[in-house]
Amino acid sequence: MTTTTTIDDTIRPGREPGAAHDAAAIQRSLDDPSAFDVVFESHHDVVYRYVASRVGPAVAEDVVGEVFLAAFASRAKFRPEISTSALPWLLGIATRRISRHRDAERRWVAQCRAAQGERVLSEDEGAESRVDAELLARRLDIALQALPLREREPLLLHVLVGLSYEEVAAALGIKLGTVRSRISRGRSRLAGILDGVRR
């Protein structure tokens, strides 16, 4: 029997709720730098998971450190009128940092494969299921690599992290309509590529 697999079936958001008072904490940090700890503690885990899924755990902590250092240095530029949560802002910084690692998209699929194995495959499932999972991971990797970066970035922020369209727009500094169209095109293109790879 033929099954249709979409990116939503393969990647599950791991998002945690952001701090309710990010904007206030960032404002306070301008006079009291230690107030920025609230932002770090609230969002470190989500930012780390996103970065690790893109560049792998070996360098993720270094990149996350760069993200929070850059965020702290530019905290006066935080715009609460766009989003009172600091998460989209932090992920926007993370996305720009990740772009320096050209092999990031190849590494993230390893994380996806490991997570999928822990979540879906139990010890008593046969080798056939494991082979299917590995093939799916390879197909997804190939498909993601084939997507244009302008479509890949918003799609991964939306599906992998679970950001809303509005938050993706804030993270990437693009218009809401642009986010909607790029994610829509990315989904369609990805489905077509996956279908072609399956054949």
Side-chain angles (χ1 to χ4, degrees):
M1 182 175 69
T2 302
T3 58
T4 300
T5 304
T6 67
I7 191 171
D8 293 314
D9 298 324
T10 311
I11 310 171
R12 297 285 185 240
R15 189 176 172 199
E16 295 175 355
H21 306 292
D22 286 348
I26 291 171
Q27 183 62 40
R28 286 197 309 274
S29 76
L30 297 175
D31 296 318
D32 176 14
S34 66
F36 198 78
D37 291 348
V38 171
V39 176
F40 178 86
E41 291 167 4
S42 296
H43 300 298
H44 174 274
D45 290 350
V46 176
V47 174
Y48 176 84
R49 283 199 300 272
Y50 176 65
V51 171
S53 74
R54 303 294 304 284
V55 301
V59 297
E61 200 58 64
D62 289 341
V63 175
V64 171
E66 293 175 10
V67 169
F68 280 97
L69 282 173
F72 181 79
S74 63
R75 66 194 187 282
K77 299 178 181 178
F78 176 72
R79 297 175 61 189
E81 70 274 13
I82 294 177
S83 173
T84 55
S85 170
L87 185 59
W89 175 59
L90 291 168
L91 290 171
I93 296 171
T95 297
R96 292 187 289 277
R97 295 283 166 169
I98 288 168
S99 69
R100 299 178 181 180
H101 301 269
R102 301 308 298 171
D103 61 344
E105 276 69 35
R106 284 191 297 274
R107 293 186 181 183
W108 97 270
V109 78
Q111 293 290 316
C112 179
R113 183 186 298 120
Q116 185 181 41
E118 293 172 5
R119 186 171 56 246
V120 178
L121 300 176
S122 62
E123 290 183 3
D124 58 3
E125 286 183 293
E128 184 177 343
S129 294
R130 296 183 186 277
V131 170
D132 288 345
E134 290 181 5
L135 286 173
L136 176 60
R138 289 194 203 105
R139 290 168 180 162
L140 182 59
D141 186 32
I142 292 168
L144 284 169
Q145 291 299 322
L147 282 182
L149 184 63
R150 66 182 180 277
E151 294 173 7
R152 185 166 61 232
E153 292 292 4
L155 183 61
L156 288 176
L157 284 170
H158 178 59
V159 177
L160 184 63
V161 184
L163 292 189
S164 67
Y165 288 167
E166 291 80 6
E167 289 171 326
V168 173
L172 298 179
I174 56 180
K175 294 179 180 178
L176 179 59
T178 303
V179 169
R180 292 184 187 279
S181 63
R182 288 183 181 178
I183 289 177
S184 177
R185 285 198 304 270
R187 285 183 188 276
S188 298
R189 197 190 305 269
L190 188 62
I193 295 168
L194 282 170
D195 184 59
V197 170
R198 263 195 298 273
R199 297 182 188 195

